Amino acid sequence: MSASILGPLRNSEEQAQASPFAAAPIVETSQDDAFLSKPKTAYAKGRNIHISPRKLRMVAPLVTGLTVPDAMIQCEMSPKKACRIAARIINAARANAIHNFGMKKENLVIHSIRVSNGFMKYHKRIDIRARGKTGMKKKYRAHCRVTVEEVADPKHYADGRKRRSIKVIQDTGPKDKRNEVVPAPPKYWVQPNWVRV
């Protein structure tokens, strides 16, 4: 190449200063800067879960916005199969946040739960019907993605509003202060007077 196309050649010191690959100066950061620089969210996915997306979506409003321990309690207390599945994915997202990103487990909050249809919308299975006929069963699958977020104060939002939390109800025993045994209702059914015998 000719020097006329590139212009005058620089000396080596000028090239070293202009090089984009030169080492950047080390800047000391405080703890606040380190908190702002690291990622604040982590997620976990469940793919092709053997449950319909409609049933799994019913769990999302139950736990969104709760802290991770409160969300696990909410899932344990619910009789739904979808809550057991969501609890496994929440636990995986919590482990990812702690192990991969060094987040504090007491500051984790459920940011969002996204549920979508599985890889195939549904699998077809034969449904045996009466009179020698057959129908078609649809076995649905679902994908679920749980995102947890690290916040400074898990009990309040950034603008000061109080976060949603679960209420722990203490069992105080019978309402009667004398601790008398309340008689059980009769186990037999009393016929109304209008029923003919």
Side-chain angles (χ1 to χ4, degrees):
M1 292 184 186
S2 64
S4 61
I5 296 173
L6 296 174
L9 295 174
R10 299 177 182 164
N11 59 13
S12 60
E13 292 179 4
E14 289 179 1
Q15 283 181 338
Q17 290 177 356
S19 173
F21 302 108
I26 297 172
V27 179
E28 294 184 9
T29 58
S30 64
Q31 290 181 348
D32 296 335
D33 294 337
F35 179 77
L36 293 173
S37 64
K38 73 177 182 180
K40 295 184 181 178
T41 59
Y43 67 89
K45 289 180 182 178
R47 295 177 60 80
N48 287 322
I49 306 165
H50 290 266
I51 193 169
S52 69
R54 181 181 177 184
K55 291 176 184 176
L56 198 52
R57 281 190 192 104
M58 294 169 77
V59 179
L62 289 177
V63 296
T64 303
L66 293 177
T67 61
V68 170
D70 285 355
M72 295 300 286
I73 292 170
Q74 182 80 334
C75 289
E76 285 175 12
M77 293 295 136
S78 177
K80 295 178 182 295
K81 174 187 171 184
C83 282
R84 292 199 309 269
I85 293 168
R88 284 206 318 258
I89 303 171
I90 289 169
N91 201 15
R94 180 184 65 83
N96 288 345
I98 294 168
H99 183 266
N100 297 344
F101 300 108
M103 298 181 188
K104 295 181 180 177
K105 62 182 177 182
E106 58 270 7
N107 292 348
L108 293 177
V109 174
I110 307 293
H111 180 261
S112 65
I113 295 182
R114 285 175 31 199
V115 180
S116 58
N117 292 331
F119 181 64
M120 297 176 63
K121 188 174 180 184
Y122 54 80
H123 294 284
K124 293 180 181 179
R125 297 289 181 264
I126 292 175
D127 186 17
I128 308 296
R129 310 304 291 268
R131 299 172 65 181
K133 296 181 182 179
T134 58
M136 198 66 69
K137 284 182 183 177
K138 296 178 180 179
K139 300 281 190 178
Y140 289 90
R141 305 265 181 125
H143 297 325
C144 181
R145 175 180 165 135
V146 175
T147 306
V148 294
E149 178 185 18
E150 186 181 25
V151 295
D153 183 12
K155 295 188 183 283
H156 295 85
Y157 287 103
D159 57 359
R161 291 180 295 128
K162 192 171 182 181
R163 278 188 191 275
R164 197 166 65 90
S165 63
I166 61 172
K167 293 181 181 177
V168 179
I169 300 172
Q170 298 291 334
D171 186 13
T172 56
K175 293 183 180 179
D176 193 1
K177 294 181 181 178
R178 292 175 292 181
N179 294 328
E180 293 180 359
V181 178
V182 180
K187 294 183 179 178
Y188 53 86
W189 180 68
V190 180
Q191 288 183 342
N193 56 7
W194 50 267
V195 176
R196 288 186 181 180
V197 180

